[in-house]
Amino acid sequence: MTSTDSTGRSGGRPSLPRPRLPSPLVPAADARFEQHGVRLLLKRDDLIHPELVGNKWRKLAPNLARAGGRPVVTFGGAYSNHLRATAAAGRLLGLPTVGVVRGEELAHRPLNASLARCAADGMRLCFTDRATYRRKSDPGTLAALLRTAGAEGAFVVPEGGSNAAAVRGCRELGAELAGRADVVALACGTGGTLAGLAAGLPAGSRALGIPVLKGGGFLAGEIRRLQEEAFGGPRGAWSLDDRFHCGGYARSTPGLDAFADDFEDRHGLPVERVYVAKMLYGLLALTREHAFTRGTTLAAVVTGRPFA
Ligand SMILES: *Cc1c(COP(=O)(O)O)cnc(C)c1O
């Protein structure tokens, strides 16, 4: 018997430790939802893999397979979950990784815990001023960045890891929930996970995205673009509710903090604060607004866990 891991490799090369798939789907008894006739389930994607957590595993695995052993270059901010996951994958697979980090080096020294982890995992960090960073998809700028990083010929994964292969990888998340939920909710950054999830859901269930960035108005167009690229057209039923960003990316409010602390106590679930907390907070608000009809089964995707 040959062993093949989820990146499609087999034999001699190092491979990713086996992911826990399908991820567990567990009921969360919560009177605040039940009193409105809503049954809450938690889709524990945070348990897929100890280091390539949640949707980052679903998005990265197909890209690492496509990289075929080439060094991997990707992009992110100073606290990016995606950069950490890519760095960890590089260590586990013996692949060189380069992280292009938004912002000048001076602003990032000493390294915060997230970037320090990336570096410890062997990722070469390449700090880039914000103006250049914004233009990173422009072919000339990208080529210059790769040259500076000494990474010409590397496999490029976009910021947040969302490209067509990643979106197709997230379709499985929807398929795992088929027949188990009427509404599937998740937090959105780039929207790549939602684009794939919606495509994997059967007719009759729908995806609900909670953007964590302020001004998420661009996101619907981005999700349509990703679905076009991944599947050749729109797929599945989905919508966004952009009222729960709480001030923007990585921002919080006392109300959100209190809600997340309380949710941890009630359910014994470590609540990741940048994404997952806002999604759960939004779901309770929507439930109280009677956005879900009585009898709805609502699956909340726990896309990640706190970084400590
Ligand atoms: C990256 C991330 C997301 C956002 O995923 P997108 O595909 O970019 O929308 C959601 N939750 C967690 C925990 C993440 O790390």
Side-chain angles (χ1 to χ4, degrees):
M1 203 170 92
T2 58
S3 67
T4 303
D5 71 4
S6 47
T7 63
R9 294 167 182 219
S10 61
R13 278 196 272 176
S15 61
L16 294 175
R18 195 181 259 297
R20 184 168 175 193
L21 290 173
S23 64
L25 180 65
V26 297
D30 195 313
R32 299 171 298 178
F33 290 84
E34 279 152 20
Q35 75 188 80
H36 295 282
V38 174
R39 195 159 71 96
L40 179 66
L41 307 176
L42 299 176
K43 176 67 169 161
R44 297 293 305 271
D45 261 22
D46 56 317
L47 301 177
I48 288 179
H49 187 282
E51 295 187 88
L52 308 190
V53 178
N55 65 345
K56 297 302 179 281
W57 190 91
R58 294 188 189 271
K59 296 202 290 187
L60 263 177
N63 276 297
L64 295 171
R66 288 171 71 227
R70 275 177 288 167
V72 172
V73 176
T74 194
F75 308 84
Y79 294 92
S80 166
N81 290 338
H82 166 66
L83 280 187
R84 269 202 325 282
T86 305
R91 172 172 50 74
L92 293 165
L93 292 170
L95 283 181
T97 58
V98 177
V100 179
V101 183
R102 181 180 57 235
E104 308 274 6
E105 175 148 21
L106 264 179
H108 291 306
R109 298 282 179 187
L111 296 180
N112 70 40
S114 188
L115 290 176
R117 174 69 65 82
C118 292
D121 278 340
M123 175 175 267
R124 206 143 58 71
L125 300 176
C126 199
F127 297 93
T128 307
D129 67 84
R130 284 163 189 269
T132 308
Y133 189 90
R134 258 195 305 278
R135 294 193 309 269
K136 63 192 175 304
S137 324
D138 160 65
T141 307
L142 178 61
L145 276 172
L146 294 182
R147 240 184 345 266
T148 311
E152 288 140 306
F155 184 78
V156 177
V157 176
E159 181 175 39
S162 290
N163 56 13
V167 168
R168 285 192 293 266
C170 291
R171 197 168 33 183
E172 193 61 24
L173 170 57
E176 289 175 20
L177 288 161
R180 311 291 295 275
D182 305 300
V183 179
V184 178
L186 83 167
C188 296
T190 62
T193 308
L194 176 68
L197 162 68
L201 287 176
S205 47
R206 64 185 174 93
L208 166 62
I210 308 290
V212 304
L213 283 92
K214 201 166 166 171
F218 70 95
L219 199 59
E222 184 59 13
I223 291 167
R224 280 192 289 272
R225 185 188 69 75
L226 286 165
Q227 287 199 330
E228 177 75 41
E229 229 178 83
F231 309 119
R235 292 290 185 279
W238 56 270
S239 62
L240 301 173
D241 191 322
D242 66 4
R243 292 176 297 156
F244 304 108
H245 58 71
C246 300
Y249 184 76
R251 300 288 173 86
S252 190
T253 61
L256 177 66
D257 291 339
F259 167 83
D261 290 343
D262 175 67
F263 199 94
E264 291 191 339
D265 290 344
R266 282 173 193 258
H267 296 289
L269 175 82
V271 176
E272 190 272 350
R273 301 300 167 108
V274 176
Y275 292 96
V276 177
K278 291 179 184 179
M279 180 270 300
L280 293 168
Y281 186 68
L283 291 185
L284 183 56
L286 285 161
T287 298
R288 288 176 168 158
E289 290 173 3
H290 310 287
F292 308 114
T293 53
R294 295 193 82 83
T296 295
T297 298
L298 176 60
V301 185
V302 182
T303 41
R305 62 154 186 268
F307 169 64

